Amino acid sequence: MTDTATSGQMLTNSDVEELTLWRRELHRHPEVSGEEAETARRVVEMLTPTGPDAILTELGGHGVAAIYGGRAEGPTVMLRCELDALPIDEVNPDLPHLSQISGKGHLCGHDGHMAILAATARWLGRNPPAKGRVVLLFQPAEEDGSGAARVIEDARFAAITPDYAFALHNFPGLPLGHAVIAAGPMNCASRGMKISFRGRTSHASQPDKGISPAPALASLLTDLTALARGQDSANPEFALVTVTHAHLGERAFGIAPGDAEIWVTLRTQQDAAMAALVTRAEHLVRQAAETHKLEHEISYHDIFHHCENDPQATEILQAALRAAGVPPTTAELPMRASEDFGRFRAGSRSAMFLLGAGVETPSLHNPNYDFPDDLIPMGAEVFAAALDELCY
């Protein structure tokens, strides 16, 4: 194979081959949120030969940030990808790089997103920025919504807080190599709400001697989901409540239940609407507990802020997509699915885009999903074009 550069003179054929193999090696060894130590080690090993000015490790957990400085003053531009995989069994027996870790798989494409940033790192190593700084952030714990917050809370992040932050996400169902981007809300806000009820068990022949949470559980299964408002996420009043898990009592025929648990996901277009949805949901829970004389407890998990594309940052990415020859397509925006990249907009102009993974590609979080390697050079070329606008 001749070691010539790909389109845009950014990557050689050898680069693409090596990055593809590296992506597949990451795919074989997935690590879930909070456990990405070996993945982070592989990232540092890949980044070191590109000669960054500094590499920060254990950032907000297992995060890695590579910093490439320019000779002149200019903006700090952050490109962000994710380290973590999912706690899902991969079911794809014909895949040569199938996950070797039972119950875990890179079924969201974060392995591919890492490869795109690794490709960008190779380009930066050969073409250091003329001005400002470029920060390549390999963020931990995106899937549970905790990673971005922990990175931002890390004291070392203050020294690299970006003026601009960019990200992408591959998206099955869109034509391969086509992109979607728009200013405004890009991903909905969401949070997991866990509700626990405590009553009193009794013999199944004497349910009147106990306090069963069954009626409360039954009512909330419908009452909570009835809080939904519309089906169109483009409507600012959009709200969705999804029951994801419910449990009642013991697996026994002789015991009337004394405890129950229900998990729901609350979803709104923007953060501002989430507080109102939480208030309505908590009111229903308290009402059910009082009506049926139950103790109750509420806790929140997997909290995601909504993602909103800054207009100026969006224009930069739109120009970068044109420069890289990536054709536009359309999709319903904002996405109902959540992304914790939204937290970075508090301190920077941020924007992300969707990069089509193929119309027939299995959906994200599907046990048969695999990231399309053709997107590695394409995603890197878009990021390079954005950096060219800001740092060269």
Side-chain angles (χ1 to χ4, degrees), residues 101 109-110 138 203 254 306 319 322 337 389:
I101 312 298
H110 294 178
F138 294 73
H203 196 285
H306 85 274
R322 290 192 295 269
E389 170 70 18

Side-chain angles (χ1 to χ4, degrees), residues 191-197 217 220-221 224-225 241-247 260-266 297 299 301-302:
R191 63 175 57 201
M193 180 184 195
K194 184 165 74 171
I195 305 152
S196 300
F197 288 119
L217 180 65
L220 286 175
L221 288 173
L224 285 171
T225 55
V241 180
T242 305
V243 175
T244 61
H245 173 75
H247 168 81
E261 193 170 88
I262 180 171
W263 296 20
V264 297
T265 301
L266 309 179
E297 185 175 300
S299 59
H301 311 265
D302 293 13

Side-chain angles (χ1 to χ4, degrees), residues 23-232:
R23 197 284 295 180
R24 295 179 179 182
E25 191 64 13
L26 293 175
H27 193 94
R28 291 187 183 95
H29 301 93
E31 295 178 300
V32 297
S33 299
E35 300 177 3
E36 312 99 327
E38 179 61 18
T39 303
R41 185 196 66 76
R42 292 175 190 271
V43 166
V44 171
E45 185 178 65
M46 173 61 79
L47 294 176
T48 299
T50 68
D53 294 283
I55 298 179
L56 304 181
T57 60
E58 298 183 355
L59 188 67
H62 295 299
V64 176
I67 304 164
Y68 301 80
R71 296 180 300 276
E73 291 294 319
T76 296
V77 183
M78 185 179 79
L79 307 180
R80 172 272 202 175
C81 69
E82 317 92 326
L83 291 169
D84 53 341
L86 287 158
I88 302 174
D89 262 319
E90 186 169 29
V91 183
N92 199 346
D94 297 327
L95 194 68
H97 48 279
L98 189 72
S99 171
Q100 297 180 11
I101 312 298
S102 178
K104 300 176 185 179
H106 266 298
L107 303 175
C108 202
H110 294 178
D111 51 344
H113 301 169
M114 284 186 271
I116 288 170
L117 251 61
T120 309
R122 290 196 173 192
W123 180 77
L124 284 165
R126 297 163 188 160
N127 303 275
K131 60 184 180 180
R133 294 181 299 177
V134 178
V135 178
L136 303 183
L137 173 64
F138 294 73
Q139 182 205 300
E142 189 280 327
E143 292 290 354
D144 68 6
S146 68
R150 290 177 182 171
V151 166
I152 293 167
E153 290 165 2
D154 191 306
R156 294 171 294 167
F157 186 75
I160 57 170
T161 298
D163 300 295
Y164 295 90
F166 299 112
L168 65 78
H169 208 294
N170 79 95
F171 200 73
L174 300 181
L176 183 70
H178 288 55
V180 171
I181 185 171
M186 193 72 180
N187 296 79
C188 287
S190 72
R191 63 175 57 201
M193 180 184 195
K194 184 165 74 171
I195 305 152
S196 300
F197 288 119
R198 290 179 300 278
R200 185 172 65 246
T201 60
S202 63
H203 196 285
S205 68
Q206 296 178 308
D208 52 303
K209 301 295 186 183
I211 302 175
S212 174
L217 180 65
S219 66
L220 286 175
L221 288 173
T222 55
D223 291 348
L224 285 171
T225 55
L227 293 175
R229 291 187 175 178
Q231 297 295 316
D232 182 8

